[in-house]
Amino acid sequence: MKILVLNAGSSTQKSCLYDLSDDAAPDMPATPVWEGLIDWTHQGEAAEIRVETAGGKTLKKLVPTDDRAKVIADLLYTLCQGDTRVIDSFAAIDLVGHRVVHGGAEYRECTRITPAVKEAIARLAVFAPVHNPVNLEGIEAIERILGDVPQFAVFDTAFHHTLPATAYVYPGPYDWLEQGIRRYGFHGISHQYVSQRAAQLLGQPLTSLRLITCHLGNGCSVTAVHEGRSVETSMGFTPLEGLMMGSRSGSIDPGILIHLLRQGHTPDDLDRVLNQESGLKGISGLSNDMRHIHAAIAAGNERAALAFDLFIHRLQTAVSGMLPSLGGLDVLVFTAGIGENDPLVWSGLCRGFEFLGLKLDPDRLQRSPDDQEISAPDSRVRVLVIHTHEDWAIAQTCLRLYSTSQRQ
Ligand code: AMP
């Protein structure tokens, strides 16, 4: 089965082609036969396309247009043309899976895309104005280029549909809830994948474990997973709530926004400040990238040190706030760009939880290309670093749904 996955963000669009018939160990993430990336952040009216195949062929080119549909088409044609060709024609693609950021309260699992589902993704763009429109753009590009290949939406909110009301209702007026203003949670594909992978690594059923999964990348969120279900998560109505992030503030006193609005700032100003000029970048004044923060701390930069300490403090506060909903903690998981690579974040967070009997093994605190355990043998909480594979998880989910529908 050849499954194409599209994972569109605000500034990049990642795509992968998996050939699952070549996958000898289906429980382990397979390497895609083709990976493509569109980077829309270039100055001027151009996008950069980068392609890499499992066979070692690469392509990098600038497409001089701001016509996004044309750029997506150019990327997809590298699947079956030129040096990076891995299939004879688009007809070889069996399924297409899309990461769709917001599925609202109604989409609780992977769904085959129909006109009604497209209409819902468009409608839910009021809650995810940056992401849902680009997800829809990818779906429509596939319709134009690949015709009526089965397409599926895997929603980043879906894993959190099991949140109890106490976790998803905001204590504002009740009619907020009726308007859909509630907590949804995000990064669900990643939190679900790493919790399943943790159970697999530990050789224990997921349903027997109490986990907290820390997805720490450009966007950051933590989720409490009990009996395989999300029971609490740090992102809310939008991906702005919760932890301090690369350039997002995370949770702040909403009174600050009222104050700034009264001072004459517009909603667009606040949107920009909270999403692009806050977090590590806002406090350090330097960068949203944790690697740059460490380099600046090493050079004696005090604001960078404050940014790092705040990041850890906010993370500890969020993780500790989840302990009551789990009634304890068996496993702590780190994932995504910072979570997979940063021993100072591992030790910084874990230092606050030694009272739980959590102990890291100093000899294991090294970055590794493999999933790894970093807790000491006598730690009462197992601590794992797991590489997230959202695209692989999307491919697997679509395949499962498709196979089930074919059997019915
Ligand atoms: P992601 O959104 O998962 O791709 O994560 C991207 C972020 O991961 C970057 O902005 C960096 O802050 C962080 N990152 C990547 N590599 C490292 C590293 N070696 N050490 C610390 N942070 C890293």
Side-chain angles (χ1 to χ4, degrees):
M1 276 293 222
K2 292 195 172 47
I3 304 183
L4 178 67
V5 174
L6 267 66
N7 185 341
S10 52
S11 53
T12 58
Q13 141 117 39
K14 293 189 224 158
S15 311
C16 302
L17 184 74
Y18 290 98
D19 187 348
L20 295 190
S21 54
D22 287 341
D23 178 24
D27 284 346
M28 295 293 293
T31 305
V33 290
W34 170 99
E35 279 180 271
L37 181 93
I38 303 172
D39 182 347
W40 309 103
T41 59
H42 277 260
Q43 297 300 322
E45 294 181 346
E48 184 179 278
I49 286 183
R50 293 200 293 272
V51 179
E52 195 176 340
T53 69
K57 301 287 185 197
T58 58
L59 169 85
K60 188 170 166 178
K61 68 171 182 177
L62 270 185
V63 186
T65 173
D66 60 353
D67 178 347
R68 293 172 65 106
K70 176 174 179 334
V71 181
I72 297 173
D74 271 24
L75 175 73
L76 294 179
Y77 276 110
T78 71
L79 279 161
C80 49
Q81 291 176 359
D83 271 2
T84 57
R85 174 178 158 187
V86 288
I87 49 176
D88 291 337
S89 74
F90 290 134
I93 297 174
D94 298 291
L95 306 176
V96 181
H98 298 264
R99 169 172 172 249
V100 177
V101 165
H102 216 305
E106 64 240 74
Y107 288 100
R108 293 157 164 242
E109 48 202 33
C110 174
T111 305
R112 180 139 181 191
I113 294 171
T114 61
V117 174
K118 280 172 58 182
E119 191 275 319
I121 295 170
R123 182 164 31 84
L124 291 163
V126 291
F127 295 155
V130 176
H131 289 96
N132 272 31
V134 293
N135 299 148
L136 205 51
E137 189 178 71
I139 293 167
E140 288 175 347
I142 295 292
E143 281 172 355
R144 273 193 305 276
I145 302 163
L146 272 71
D148 57 3
V149 62
Q151 296 200 68
F152 296 88
V154 182
F155 297 96
D156 224 13
T157 44
F159 182 53
H160 302 298
H161 83 267
T162 49
L163 291 178
T166 45
Y168 73 71
V169 179
Y170 284 110
Y174 190 81
D175 64 343
W176 280 6
L177 184 59
E178 292 164 338
Q179 290 171 43
I181 300 177
R182 46 157 283 179
R183 306 184 72 249
Y184 292 100
F186 297 88
H187 292 148
I189 300 164
S190 176
H191 287 296
Q192 183 169 27
Y193 168 75
V194 297
S195 48
Q196 288 166 345
R197 176 78 178 129
Q200 188 187 41
L201 285 170
L202 297 174
Q204 294 183 41
L206 179 56
T207 46
S208 71
L209 295 172
R210 296 165 299 179
L211 303 99
I212 294 182
T213 52
C214 306
H215 178 110
L216 308 175
N218 270 323
C220 299
S221 66
V222 289
T223 293
V225 182
H226 194 221
E227 298 178 344
R229 296 153 159 257
S230 167
V231 292
E232 179 58 287
T233 193
S234 61
M235 284 179 168
F237 176 59
T238 71
L240 190 52
E241 190 179 342
L243 302 176
M244 173 177 174
M245 311 182 208
S247 64
R248 283 177 243 168
S249 62
S251 296
I252 55 162
D253 180 349
I256 297 171
L257 306 183
I258 299 167
H259 168 74
L260 292 173
L261 286 170
R262 287 193 177 130
Q263 297 243 309
H265 292 267
T266 64
D268 284 347
D269 292 340
L270 300 186
D271 188 334
R272 192 190 64 255
V273 167
L274 296 173
N275 281 297
Q276 294 166 31
E277 293 170 9
S278 296
L280 293 173
K281 185 177 169 196
I283 297 299
S284 70
L286 293 172
S287 170
N288 61 347
D289 190 319
M290 190 58 101
R291 289 165 291 194
H292 300 162
I293 300 297
H294 287 311
I297 296 171
N301 185 307
E302 287 181 10
R303 276 176 57 183
L306 174 62
F308 181 78
D309 292 346
L310 247 175
F311 183 87
I312 296 294
H313 176 73
R314 291 285 172 134
L315 183 56
Q316 286 179 333
T317 310
V319 168
S320 53
M322 296 193 167
L323 294 173
S325 51
L326 292 174
L329 184 62
D330 302 312
V331 190
L332 182 69
V333 180
F334 289 97
T335 193
I338 299 173
E340 292 166 20
N341 291 298
D342 196 332
L344 293 171
V345 169
W346 306 339
S347 47
L349 171 63
C350 291
R351 210 170 295 125
F353 292 96
E354 284 163 355
F355 72 94
L356 289 179
L358 185 162
K359 282 189 219 158
L360 294 182
D361 182 338
D363 296 334
R364 291 174 164 176
L365 301 186
Q366 318 268 344
R367 293 170 56 203
S368 158
D370 300 319
D371 296 338
Q372 55 174 333
E373 177 161 5
I374 56 171
S375 42
D378 60 340
S379 176
R380 296 231 302 270
V381 179
R382 312 280 296 265
V383 185
L384 304 175
V385 176
I386 297 180
H387 293 262
T388 192
H389 289 279
E390 286 172 309
D391 297 332
W392 161 250
I394 292 168
Q396 286 276 58
T397 308
C398 297
L399 180 59
R400 253 195 318 272
L401 182 65
Y402 182 72
S403 308
T404 312
S405 68
Q406 292 301 98
R407 281 198 295 273
Q408 282 164 357

